[in-house]
Amino acid sequence: MARNIAIKVARTEKDMTQKDLAEAVGVSRQTINAIEQGEYNPTIKLCRAICRVLEKGLDDLFWEED
């Protein structure tokens, strides 16, 4: 899996730490870190929660280029 730079960018644009985002969506900071590092494939429910908090669409944050 590739790193998810889009989440990190969107998170920093909202001046949020990994911990802030994790608390907002109900997971651990380590889970957010693993998603950003491409080491964890989140459920669609978690993807949607992240999108809501960061005010982005699924395609904006989770679309993978071939």
Side-chain angles (χ1 to χ4, degrees), residues 6-56:
I7 290 178
K8 184 174 184 176
V9 169
R11 178 175 57 74
T12 56
E13 285 175 351
K14 294 191 98 25
D15 197 30
M16 295 181 82
T17 64
Q18 287 181 344
K19 183 180 177 191
D20 295 334
L21 179 56
E23 289 175 355
V25 298
V27 298
S28 70
R29 185 207 55 82
Q30 291 85 352
T31 298
I32 298 300
N33 183 60
I35 294 168
E36 289 183 1
Q37 295 300 315
E39 298 169 355
Y40 179 74
N41 190 12
T43 64
I44 190 68
K45 183 177 179 181
L46 179 52
C47 291
R48 292 181 64 199
I50 291 169
C51 288
R52 261 192 307 285
V53 170
L54 297 178
E55 299 178 338
K56 299 285 184 180

